[in-house]
Amino acid sequence: MKFLDKPNSAAKNFYISSAFWVCVATLYGLTAAVELVAPDIFANIPELLFGRIRPIHINLVLFGFLTPSLIGTALYLVPLLTQTKLYSERLANIAMIIWNIFTAAAVFTLSGGKTQGREYAELIWPIDILVIISFLILTFVVVKTILNRKENLMFVSLWYIAGAFIWTSVLYTLGNVVWNPETGALKGTTDAIWLWFYGHNIFGLLLTPLAVAAAYYIIPRVTGAPIYSHTLSLIGFWMLLVMYTHIGTHHLIQAPVPQWLKVISIVDSIGMLVPVMTFLTNVWLPLKERFSTFYKEIAGKYVFAGTFFYFIVCIQGPLQSLPSVQRITHFNNWVVAHAHLALLGFAGFIAVGAMYYFLPKVSGREIYSKTLANFQYWLLMIGVNGFFLVLTAVGLVQGSSWLHGETIYRVLPEMVPYFTIRALLGVLIVAGFIIGFYNVIMTLVKGKEIRSV
Ligand code: HEM
Ligand code: HEM
């Protein structure tokens, strides 16, 4: 079992897992997109019904692609920033193995129609338990390493990483109502509020802090410009916790939930601008004339693009939490556009960039092909921007048609051209990730060895 103890192997294995699962995830997304244009194309094979593959797609992008990749980065950053060996490489690798088992189990169970039917919390109870065990192990390893640290100063990335692990261990358990294995749910409207407390926080307290932590380290490294203010970064950290935990109800503005909850969620959605802007000020302001230095390194390009998408997503977010705006934008593809810009544009670009930045360090080999990494960048860039434009446009068509009382059978045909373009753009994204997977494997097998790691 020596291979489980090899330094940096857990981070490397999380990167490989992510590079693999994102291909499966996006292939499912593409299949779903094709079905939205040609519903009967797969002759209604049960395992490929839209209602089954949609949850597979979103669970795989969340737990197969984004989280493992960002965990890989966290597992490399924590020892680096604490100047301390990771508390237990073996435990981290065991968590990685459990992680891959539950991800595969998620695909099989959801394909077989076994779901708890709550968005982002579909996984059935035994899988929930595996997720929690894996998270608890990782939290233990990360916290122990930070407690043993030799470096006194806690760089801001460490705050965000520790926060993400501790918060998510609690959040996942609560959000999936694990004390009720049968349904994994509470009852009625209370469950809707509970679910969306979990639903938005899984982005806000897991993906966002891990992505922000990676960017806080990589941007100053690539550009040579230190962050603007450490104090500001900590204000941003605590504000994120204060604001994000109250905004879940902005998903339920059109639902019969208490008015005061809606008001809090809207006020705090607007308040989210504070933590977002502290982060962007911190990493963008010091750049000034060093702006072009991003492009010297492939990882810099990805991470900078991720921060830019974060800016757009977080301007759009507060606006679409307003009831007057949601009358048009809710219940249609406007939200799907926001979701892809957020998860692929923001978290995804930072996750991939960080992976390209740290893979040579954890594997001791240079990236096999920078040209391929660059080609992947452009495929994803065209894909995500195209998605955003076409889905926002079709969302506005749907939203205004329904607002004006148009019947569904007249609106549906109008959507076909948009959905066809979305499926074609999806091909670019899938191709980008397959190229990425090939590049990762070739790096590990054939990448030029780096002498001093
Ligand atoms: C890594 C990249 C991707 C990420 C992070 C991602 C993320 C997501 C998320 C979060 C949702 C749920 C949206 C919501 O309910 O508001 C979703 C839905 C969806 N995604 Fe993706 N996606 C990715 C790539 C793709 C690709 C390449 C395609 C292929 C065209 C695709 C097609 C779809 C479809 C068809 C839906 C269902 C939309 C609906 O219910 O109307 N996605 N995706
Ligand atoms: C200032 C920050 C943000 C605000 C105020 C905000 C606001 C919103 C609102 C109001 C919705 C629901 C829209 C509707 O159903 O009509 C939404 C959906 C969503 N947001 Fe954000 N957002 C923000 C940032 C983010 C970030 C950073 C991420 C990802 C890391 C994200 C991921 C998502 C996803 C995936 C959905 C779709 C959920 C679903 O399946 O219905 N958002 N957001």
Side-chain angles (χ1 to χ4, degrees):
M1 300 292 255
K2 274 250 157 46
F3 68 97
L4 293 179
D5 297 324
K6 219 173 146 224
N8 292 325
S9 57
K12 185 176 77 184
N13 292 332
F14 268 111
Y15 283 145
I16 302 170
S17 313
S18 164
F20 166 73
W21 284 114
V22 68
C23 298
V24 185
T26 46
L27 275 169
Y28 270 106
L30 183 58
T31 313
V34 170
E35 286 184 12
L36 286 174
V37 182
D40 297 328
I41 190 163
F42 297 114
N44 290 329
I45 300 168
E47 287 74 16
L48 291 181
L49 287 174
F50 184 83
R52 295 193 188 181
I53 59 178
R54 187 189 190 281
I56 299 179
H57 169 62
I58 58 173
N59 277 281
L60 282 186
V61 291
L62 183 56
F63 294 117
F65 163 46
L66 293 165
T67 313
S69 183
L70 292 167
I71 288 178
T73 296
L75 290 178
Y76 181 76
L77 272 181
V78 170
L80 182 75
L81 295 174
T82 52
Q83 295 292 309
T84 311
K85 209 168 151 266
L86 193 68
Y87 176 70
S88 168
E89 199 72 44
R90 179 176 291 218
L91 277 179
N93 265 314
I94 291 173
M96 180 278 303
I97 294 168
I98 300 175
W99 198 283
N100 280 288
I101 294 173
F102 82 64
T103 309
V107 177
F108 282 112
T109 50
L110 291 171
S111 297
K114 294 198 185 332
T115 171
Q116 292 192 328
R118 297 160 87 238
E119 205 180 0
Y120 306 104
E122 286 96 347
L123 306 180
I124 54 171
W125 189 80
I127 304 183
D128 284 341
I129 299 301
L130 291 181
V131 179
I132 293 165
I133 293 173
S134 194
F135 254 108
L136 285 176
I137 297 175
L138 290 165
T139 306
F140 177 69
V141 171
V142 164
V143 172
K144 269 296 225 182
T145 314
I146 295 178
L147 290 177
N148 292 345
R149 71 185 187 281
K150 297 198 186 91
E151 166 62 61
N152 260 341
L153 179 81
M154 285 261 296
F155 185 65
V156 57
S157 299
L158 285 178
W159 285 86
Y160 278 103
I161 291 171
F165 281 108
I166 297 169
W167 297 332
T168 310
S169 304
V170 180
L171 176 76
Y172 192 91
T173 314
L174 292 180
N176 284 275
V177 195
V178 289
W179 56 94
N180 191 355
E182 202 59 44
T183 59
L186 302 173
K187 288 205 173 87
T189 312
T190 317
D191 187 61
I193 297 169
W194 196 257
L195 172 69
W196 280 113
F197 166 76
Y198 161 78
H200 215 102
N201 282 333
I202 203 79
F203 311 126
L205 299 185
L206 170 65
L207 298 183
T208 302
L210 288 181
V212 165
Y216 257 133
Y217 179 82
I218 293 172
I219 291 183
R221 279 280 157 171
V222 171
T223 60
I227 63 168
Y228 178 68
S229 155
H230 194 255
T231 314
L232 195 60
S233 68
L234 290 186
I235 294 174
F237 171 82
W238 289 110
M239 288 295 281
L240 183 85
L241 182 62
V242 172
M243 297 295 172
Y244 234 123
T245 40
H246 303 142
I247 66 177
T249 306
H250 65 204
H251 294 262
L252 298 168
I253 302 289
Q254 317 292 322
V257 301
Q259 195 68 15
W260 63 268
L261 259 178
K262 292 186 187 176
V263 172
I264 291 180
S265 77
I266 296 167
V267 171
D268 281 7
S269 295
I270 295 163
M272 269 300 295
L273 286 171
V274 179
V276 171
M277 291 309 161
T278 55
F279 163 64
L280 292 176
T281 308
N282 250 337
V283 292
W284 282 358
L285 202 65
L287 295 179
K288 292 183 196 138
E289 67 279 3
R290 294 189 204 207
F291 194 75
S292 59
T293 47
F294 271 120
Y295 287 85
K296 279 204 288 204
E297 195 152 340
I298 183 73
K301 269 168 81 164
Y302 274 99
V303 176
F304 176 72
T307 61
F308 182 72
F309 288 131
Y310 188 49
F311 174 68
I312 305 287
V313 163
C314 295
I315 296 293
Q316 184 189 34
L319 286 175
Q320 71 187 17
S321 66
L322 301 174
S324 49
V325 176
Q326 275 208 15
R327 283 191 72 197
I328 304 254
T329 60
H330 192 67
F331 287 135
N332 60 54
N333 280 277
W334 170 283
V335 183
V336 185
H338 172 77
H340 283 91
L341 198 70
L343 292 200
L344 174 55
F346 157 54
F349 268 69
I350 294 185
V352 175
M355 190 268 294
Y356 277 129
Y357 191 73
F358 292 119
L359 189 62
K361 301 185 194 332
V362 298
S363 65
R365 289 173 184 273
E366 280 176 18
I367 294 297
Y368 171 70
S369 166
K370 294 206 171 103
T371 314
L372 281 184
N374 197 32
F375 186 47
Q376 180 188 358
Y377 174 87
W378 286 110
L379 287 175
L380 300 187
M381 186 55 98
I382 296 168
V384 72
N385 281 300
F387 261 34
F388 186 65
L389 292 177
V390 79
L391 290 170
T392 302
V394 71
L396 289 174
V397 172
Q398 292 171 305
S400 56
S401 303
W402 292 332
L403 189 70
H404 293 107
E406 190 57 278
T407 49
I408 187 82
Y409 72 88
R410 281 165 57 128
V411 182
L412 279 177
E414 281 182 38
M415 285 151 51
V416 173
Y418 299 94
F419 280 170
T420 308
I421 298 173
R422 187 262 286 274
L424 293 174
L425 289 163
V427 175
L428 301 187
I429 298 176
V430 174
F433 282 119
I434 291 175
I435 290 172
F437 181 54
Y438 172 77
N439 211 0
V440 168
I441 298 300
M442 291 306 279
T443 299
L444 300 175
V445 180
K446 287 209 170 144
K448 210 167 127 211
E449 282 195 44
I450 305 168
R451 289 274 160 254
S452 58
V453 192

